[in-house]
Amino acid sequence: LCMHPVEHLIYYSCAWLPPLLVSVHPLHFLYCKFHADIAPIGGHDGMDPPGGKGDHHYLHHAKFECNYGGPFPINFDKWFGTWADWEVYKTTGTLGDLSAWAQGQVEEAVQEERHHQQQQMEPGNNKSVEVTSNDRRIFTWEEVAAHNRKEDCYVALYGQVLDITNFLQKHPGGPAVLLSVSGKDGTSAFETVHGRSGGYSLVEKWLPTTSVLGEVAGWHGPKPPTRRAVEGPKLWREGPGIFLMLPLLALSSWLSLYR
């Protein structure tokens, strides 16, 4: 979804180019096309380390300025100094021998994040915010509404005020979706999209704890759901493959009986 149309055209050339050059069976085309569709799943686990075998492409999204391509057949990243080995990172926590430019880009992003967190912790940066006895800051809706710009973006979610300024560009759905609810209550929009796909656990996963600034005064809506409430039944979480196999089992049974 994030590809440029020209990039899409090149990416799917593995499916459409061979039929233009040689005679192939339609199943060959479909295999290549669907393989190109699902093959990236293993390297796009989001912000968590790969769930299975180590995947170099995870580092591209987690650290960005590395591993633009794959190691086979020609590892261009090694040529240009942007190759980071997953096994080395998993063992040492370092990205290896990145070029000075790539390492500088990674460090710049880290420093920017730390600077923003330090600003949030400094006294006097929340002068309009009341601090209660248990250190939970209370915002009025007018105060939340004042932070409605790309450079200063708050959103209310389940009565909690979140600073999502640094997350705008990282949002998989793009910044425009978040900016549409900036300075407002985004609970309804959030539940519509993520109610059955991660829920509030996505906030815990993607945002640092310092992004939760406080609560909206007088909030009477729903509280953040617990992890158990949004994960769903255990059988579906741990074994969705069982349900996906049911149509295949039914077809196999029908063929065995009526062949």
Side-chain angles (χ1 to χ4, degrees), residues 157-249:
L157 195 61
Y158 297 104
Q160 294 191 328
V161 179
L162 307 177
D163 181 356
I164 59 172
T165 307
N166 283 352
F167 178 64
L168 288 175
Q169 299 303 325
K170 302 175 185 176
H171 184 233
V177 178
L178 299 180
L179 288 171
S180 67
V181 293
S182 62
K184 307 174 185 175
D185 175 29
T187 306
S188 177
F190 181 85
E191 288 187 335
T192 300
V193 178
H194 297 299
R196 295 184 177 273
S197 60
Y200 194 75
S201 63
L202 293 173
V203 177
E204 300 170 344
K205 175 180 177 181
W206 286 74
L207 293 180
T209 55
T210 53
S211 295
V212 183
L213 303 181
E215 301 174 351
V216 178
W219 173 258
H220 299 295
K223 295 295 183 182
T226 62
R227 183 177 295 273
R228 180 178 296 275
V230 299
E231 281 183 343
K234 182 177 181 181
L235 182 60
W236 177 254
R237 296 199 315 268
E238 298 183 355
I242 298 175
F243 298 94
L244 298 178
M245 288 292 291
L246 289 178
L248 182 59
L249 292 174

Side-chain angles (χ1 to χ4, degrees), residues 13-141:
S13 63
C14 61
W16 62 260
L17 185 58
L20 296 180
L21 303 177
V22 296
S23 177
V24 299
H25 193 279
L27 287 179
H28 294 161
F29 168 80
L30 291 176
Y31 172 82
C32 292
K33 195 271 181 186
F34 284 111
H35 183 271
D37 287 338
I38 66 175
I41 293 175
H44 294 80
D45 287 9
M47 300 301 289
D48 290 334
K53 194 174 180 180
D55 195 313
H56 69 278
H57 193 63
Y58 154 75
L59 291 176
H60 173 69
H61 292 279
K63 304 298 181 181
F64 184 62
E65 298 300 347
C66 62
N67 299 2
Y68 286 90
F72 181 84
I74 302 175
N75 194 332
F76 286 103
D77 281 297
K78 281 190 175 181
W79 288 15
F80 294 101
T82 54
W83 174 251
D85 188 90
W86 163 251
E87 294 298 329
V88 172
Y89 177 79
K90 185 168 61 174
T91 305
T92 66
T94 63
L95 296 177
D97 300 325
L98 289 179
S99 66
W101 173 82
Q103 190 66 45
Q105 293 294 310
V106 174
E107 292 176 356
E108 181 180 336
V110 172
Q111 292 299 326
E112 181 181 350
E113 179 69 18
R114 288 177 180 171
H115 176 68
H116 177 73
Q117 292 181 3
Q118 289 173 356
Q119 283 184 323
Q120 295 297 328
M121 299 300 292
E122 288 177 0
N125 278 349
N126 296 286
K127 295 180 180 178
S128 62
V129 178
E130 174 189 349
V131 180
T132 63
S133 57
N134 61 353
D135 289 340
R136 292 298 293 178
R137 298 162 180 166
I138 304 300
F139 289 78
T140 65
W141 282 113

